[in-house]
C-alpha cells in the first residue's frame, strides 16, 4: 500500500510549504523591526540596535556605581565633620570648666583670706595668719610683748646707738631686725621691706623659731 493512499496521513503540498515559509519570513521581519530604534532612517542596518541597547545598560550600571561612590564619600565627610564638631565642643566645654574651676578656687581663696586692720593688732594677726601657713610657731601674746619692748609699736623705729648701729647695720622696725637677718629669714609672700610691719614680724619670728624655738621664748634683746 502506498503512503498517499494511507487514511489520516497526507503529505504537505507545495502550496502548504510556501505558506509556512511566508509565515516564518514575516515573523523574522517583525522581530527585526522591533529592534530598530524609533525614528531610524530608511536604509539603517538592523545590527545597530543591539549595541545601542547594550551601551545604555552599561552606562546605567556605571552611573549607579558612581552615585553609590559619591554617596559613600558624602557619608564619610559628614561623619568627619560631626566628629570634628563634637571634639571642638568637648574642648570648649573643658576649657570653660577649667575657667570656672579657677574662678571658683580664686573666690574661695579670697573668701578664706581675712581683711586685717592697718594697725598693730592687725599686723600681728596678719603675721600669725602667714606664720600658721608656713609652720612658724608663735602666739599673739609673745609677739606683742616683744614688739612693745623693742619698738613700742612703731614700725619705723630704728636703733642708732647699739653695737649693730656701730657696725653700720642698725636694727629696724617693730621687732628691731638687722638687714642680714631679715634677708636670711624673709618669708616668701611678704614684702621684702625691713620697715613693712608684717614682713618684719614674720621674719623676726622665723629667726626666733630657728634660734630659740619660738618668739614666745624671747624675753630680752635677741
Amino acid at each position: 500500500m502506498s503512503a498517499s493512499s494511507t487514511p489520516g496521513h497526507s503529505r504537505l503540498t507545495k502550496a502548504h510549504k510556501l505558506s509556512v515559509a511566508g509565515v516564518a519570513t514575516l515573523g523574522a521581519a517583525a522581530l527585526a523591526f522591533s529592534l530598530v530604534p524609533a525614528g531610524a532612517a530608511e536604509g539603517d542596518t538592523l545590527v545597530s540596535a543591539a549595541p545601542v541597547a547594550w551601551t545604555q545598560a552599561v552606562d546605567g550600571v556605571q552611573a549607579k556605581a558612581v552615585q553609590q561612590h559619591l554617596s559613600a564619600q558624602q557619608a564619610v565627610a559628614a561623619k568627619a565633620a560631626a566628629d570634628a564638631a563634637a571634639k571642638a565642643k568637648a574642648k570648649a566645654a573643658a576649657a570653660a570648666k577649667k575657667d570656672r574651676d579657677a574662678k571658683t578656687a580664686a573666690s574661695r581663696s579670697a573668701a578664706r583670706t581675712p581683711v586685717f586692720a592697718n594697725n598693730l593688732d592687725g599686723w600681728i594677726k596678719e603675721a600669725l595668719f602667714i606664720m600658721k601657713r608656713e609652720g612658724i610657731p608663735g602666739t599673739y601674746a609673745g609677739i606683742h610683748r616683744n614688739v612693745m619692748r623693742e619698738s613700742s609699736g612703731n614700725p619705723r623705729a630704728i636703733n642708732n646707738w647699739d653695737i649693730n648701729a656701730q657696725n653700720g647695720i642698725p636694727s629696724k622696725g617693730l621687732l628691731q631686725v638687722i638687714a642680714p637677718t631679715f634677708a636670711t629669714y624673709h618669708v616668701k609672700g611678704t614684702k621684702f621691706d625691713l620697715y613693712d610691719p608684717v614682713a618684719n614680724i614674720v621674719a623676726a619670728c622665723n629667726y626666733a623659731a630657728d634660734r630659740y624655738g619660738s618668739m614666745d621664748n624671747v624675753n630680752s634683746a635677741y
Side-chain angles (χ1 to χ4, degrees):
M1 186 178 294
S2 65
S4 59
S5 61
T6 303
H9 294 278
S10 62
R11 290 185 178 183
L12 291 175
T13 64
K14 184 177 181 180
H16 290 161
K17 292 179 180 180
L18 290 174
S19 177
V20 171
V23 171
T25 301
L26 289 174
L31 178 61
F33 179 77
S34 67
L35 293 176
V36 178
E42 184 178 354
D44 289 345
T45 57
L46 295 178
V47 293
S48 64
V52 170
W54 170 258
T55 300
Q56 291 174 346
V58 171
D59 287 346
V61 172
Q62 289 178 337
K64 184 176 181 181
V66 169
Q67 184 61 40
Q68 290 175 341
H69 180 66
L70 290 175
S71 297
Q73 286 185 327
Q74 290 173 347
V76 170
K79 186 177 185 303
D83 290 344
K87 288 180 180 179
K89 185 177 180 181
K91 186 176 180 179
K97 183 178 183 301
K98 185 177 180 180
D99 184 58
R100 288 195 303 272
D101 291 345
K103 289 180 179 178
T104 300
S107 178
R108 289 176 179 173
S109 177
R112 288 195 299 267
T113 304
V115 177
F116 302 99
N118 188 28
N119 54 34
L120 181 58
D121 178 70
W123 299 333
I124 295 175
K125 288 178 179 178
E126 185 174 356
L128 286 169
F129 180 83
I130 295 171
M131 289 164 60
K132 181 178 180 180
R133 184 188 69 200
E134 300 296 328
I136 300 171
T139 64
Y140 186 100
I143 294 172
H144 188 272
R145 182 181 70 248
N146 281 285
V147 165
M148 296 309 293
R149 186 187 67 250
E150 294 292 337
S151 66
S152 298
N154 178 11
R156 304 298 298 182
I158 180 170
N159 186 324
N160 288 315
W161 54 267
D162 67 3
I163 187 63
N164 290 322
Q166 294 174 25
N167 291 331
I169 48 173
S171 302
K172 300 177 181 179
L174 288 176
L175 284 168
Q176 293 294 283
V177 183
I178 61 175
T181 300
F182 179 80
T184 300
Y185 290 94
H186 171 260
V187 173
K188 185 177 181 181
T190 63
K191 294 181 180 179
F192 197 83
D193 178 2
L194 192 53
Y195 285 114
D196 181 78
V198 176
N200 186 283
I201 293 172
V202 175
C205 288
N206 194 24
Y207 164 73
D210 185 41
R211 186 163 183 179
Y212 304 103
S214 171
M215 181 61 77
D216 292 355
N217 300 328
V218 178
N219 295 296
S220 62
Y222 62 106

